Amino acid sequence: MKFSQIASSTGLTSKVVPVILSKSVLLANYIEFFTKPGSAITFRKSGASDDVAAKTRVLGTEYTEAKFTPNYDTAERKFIGGQVKIDVALEKMGYDLASEFETNLLRHMRDFAGIFHHMLINGDPDADAKQFAGLKELCVDARKVSAGDNGLELLQGNDNTAKKAQQAFLEKLDETIALCDGNSKVLLMNARTQARLNSIAREYLTIQKNEFGVPITFYNQIPLINPGDYQSAVGVYSPIIAFNETKGTAAEKCASVYCASFEEEDGVSFATTEGGFTVYDLVRIDTWWKSTYELIVDSTLHRPSALSKLEGLYL
């Protein structure tokens, strides 16, 4: 289920959802949710088998039995949202409160996508219990591809050293894509990494626009998505995938690329409820008109094979 399908049908919600989707290709086209009731939910992960080898037999004999073991995990309820308000006294000063509130609410909600994107990559419930686990936390070591013991510098130019680095980058990127098992793969990288990929692999890129007119670049038919920036302080925006990771001697200057297969109740998916995103109707409390908006959500990794990571890139 897409974000628009898990949103409630309240009047304010229906006006806010298009604003959020126009700011997030991920929420508009790729992130998948599934709904279950309860304050916490149990979901099925990929099961285990004591023997997955192919079997053979001769006439009159039986196949050796393999024992399957179901595997379940638990998702909690995390909440992304906030409360907005407007002073009722403004109405006496000639303002149309309903119109003013709606206009400012729509402007305010432009940052919602950045909050979700930030948690999608960097969410760490061990550091902050209010957050869901992001891709950085969910990716298992067996699905991580190293660009090099001391990172890989994505060089520009046409000399042999630059060409060698560029070829190594494309090979590692292809390996990362191949290591992600799924039918709805998305590559997530920051703007500078994507710009460098654009310059060295232009012949492998195509561009399409989604329903909001936002251009999406595809590398070998896999969409490239830049999660963008998030508002780390009032008026201060920081890249969600930053060049601040360490790989060997390349200290605090590397960034990663993620390949995730977003699938409904499979791969990488997000648990929510019916009407999981809601902007509640205005209510008057004392001298304020107030509204609360929130998304009920938790990340789930149903198959570790649905998420891979290329780490150690720097410019």
Side-chain angles (χ1 to χ4, degrees), residues 21 69 73 76 99 120 124 152 174 189 219 266 304 311:
L21 298 185
T69 304
D73 204 347
E76 300 178 4
S99 176
L120 171 66
D124 183 356
L152 174 64
D174 289 342
M189 61 185 70
Y219 170 75
D266 193 12
E311 53 188 13

Side-chain angles (χ1 to χ4, degrees), residues 7-37:
S8 70
S9 57
T10 66
L12 285 175
T13 305
S14 63
K15 293 177 181 179
V16 162
V17 167
V19 174
I20 294 173
L21 298 185
S22 69
K23 297 297 181 182
S24 174
V25 169
L26 284 167
L27 286 171
N29 300 105
Y30 298 109
I31 296 293
E32 291 283 353
F33 296 85
F34 65 97
T35 61
K36 286 190 176 183

Side-chain angles (χ1 to χ4, degrees), residues 132-147:
F132 61 75
L135 302 185
K136 186 181 295 186
E137 290 291 317
L138 291 174
C139 189
V140 299
D141 288 343
R143 298 285 162 170
K144 295 177 181 178
V145 177
S146 173

Side-chain angles (χ1 to χ4, degrees), residues 201-279:
R202 198 168 300 277
E203 64 270 30
Y204 302 113
L205 304 179
T206 57
I207 298 177
Q208 300 176 12
K209 290 185 177 181
N210 71 0
E211 63 269 36
F212 295 96
V214 179
I216 303 172
T217 301
F218 292 78
Y219 170 75
N220 287 335
Q221 302 183 29
I222 306 295
L224 306 178
I225 307 297
N226 168 25
D229 301 334
Y230 75 103
Q231 192 170 195
S232 53
V234 177
V236 178
Y237 289 83
S238 304
I240 291 169
I241 300 179
F243 285 98
N244 60 1
E245 300 172 357
T246 296
K247 187 68 175 176
T249 58
E252 298 183 355
K253 65 177 183 180
C254 297
S256 295
V257 172
Y258 298 87
C259 187
S261 183
F262 297 111
E263 304 171 41
E264 184 176 341
E265 210 165 352
D266 193 12
V268 182
S269 191
F270 293 83
T272 187
T273 63
E274 295 290 340
F277 175 75
T278 299
V279 182

Side-chain angles (χ1 to χ4, degrees), residues 17-310:
V17 167
V19 174
I20 294 173
L21 298 185
S22 69
K23 297 297 181 182
S24 174
V25 169
L26 284 167
L27 286 171
N29 300 105
Y30 298 109
I31 296 293
E32 291 283 353
F33 296 85
F34 65 97
T35 61
K36 286 190 176 183
S39 57
I41 67 165
T42 300
F43 64 94
R44 184 187 296 273
K45 300 177 68 175
S46 55
S49 171
D50 61 354
D51 183 5
V52 295
K55 304 297 193 302
T56 58
R57 72 182 185 93
V58 295
L59 186 65
T61 64
E62 296 181 351
Y63 289 110
T64 302
E65 295 180 346
K67 182 177 68 176
F68 295 132
T69 304
N71 189 15
Y72 291 88
D73 204 347
T74 300
E76 300 178 4
R77 299 301 193 189
K78 307 299 174 77
F79 302 84
I80 303 175
Q83 190 175 82
V84 287
K85 62 184 181 180
I86 191 169
D87 196 315
V88 298
L90 289 171
E91 188 170 22
K92 296 179 180 179
M93 302 174 191
Y95 290 93
D96 181 341
L97 286 190
S99 176
E100 286 293 331
F101 184 86
E102 183 177 313
T103 299
N104 284 281
L105 174 65
L106 296 181
R107 290 174 178 170
H108 178 79
M109 295 307 297
R110 292 174 183 174
D111 281 333
F112 182 88
I115 298 169
F116 181 86
H117 291 175
H118 176 58
M119 289 183 62
L120 171 66
I121 300 297
N122 299 308
D124 183 356
D126 291 330
D128 184 348
K130 299 186 296 297
Q131 298 181 359
F132 61 75
L135 302 185
K136 186 181 295 186
E137 290 291 317
L138 291 174
C139 189
V140 299
D141 288 343
R143 298 285 162 170
K144 295 177 181 178
V145 177
S146 173
D149 291 342
N150 297 308
L152 174 64
E153 184 177 4
L154 304 181
L155 296 170
Q156 289 181 310
N158 295 314
D159 60 44
N160 289 338
T161 301
K163 286 292 187 182
K164 185 177 180 180
Q166 294 163 12
Q167 182 180 9
F169 171 43
L170 295 181
E171 288 179 358
K172 292 293 186 179
L173 185 61
D174 289 342
E175 181 183 350
T176 304
I177 294 170
L179 202 57
C180 176
D181 178 26
N183 56 22
S184 186
K185 299 180 186 180
V186 176
L187 284 166
L188 298 107
M189 61 185 70
N190 64 31
R192 294 177 65 195
T193 304
Q194 185 173 343
R196 189 57 50 90
L197 178 61
N198 290 348
S199 69
I200 66 178
R202 198 168 300 277
E203 64 270 30
Y204 302 113
L205 304 179
T206 57
I207 298 177
Q208 300 176 12
K209 290 185 177 181
N210 71 0
E211 63 269 36
F212 295 96
V214 179
I216 303 172
T217 301
F218 292 78
Y219 170 75
N220 287 335
Q221 302 183 29
I222 306 295
L224 306 178
I225 307 297
N226 168 25
D229 301 334
Y230 75 103
Q231 192 170 195
S232 53
V234 177
V236 178
Y237 289 83
S238 304
I240 291 169
I241 300 179
F243 285 98
N244 60 1
E245 300 172 357
T246 296
K247 187 68 175 176
T249 58
E252 298 183 355
K253 65 177 183 180
C254 297
S256 295
V257 172
Y258 298 87
C259 187
S261 183
F262 297 111
E263 304 171 41
E264 184 176 341
E265 210 165 352
D266 193 12
V268 182
S269 191
F270 293 83
T272 187
T273 63
E274 295 290 340
F277 175 75
T278 299
V279 182
Y280 294 95
D281 292 334
L282 277 171
V283 294
R284 181 169 176 172
I285 301 176
D286 298 325
T287 59
W288 299 96
W289 281 105
K290 296 183 178 182
S291 175
T292 299
Y293 63 90
E294 66 182 2
L295 170 65
I296 303 172
V297 66
D298 196 8
S299 58
T300 63
L301 181 62
H302 296 256
R303 291 181 293 105
S305 61
L307 175 61
S308 58
K309 177 185 180 183
L310 172 58

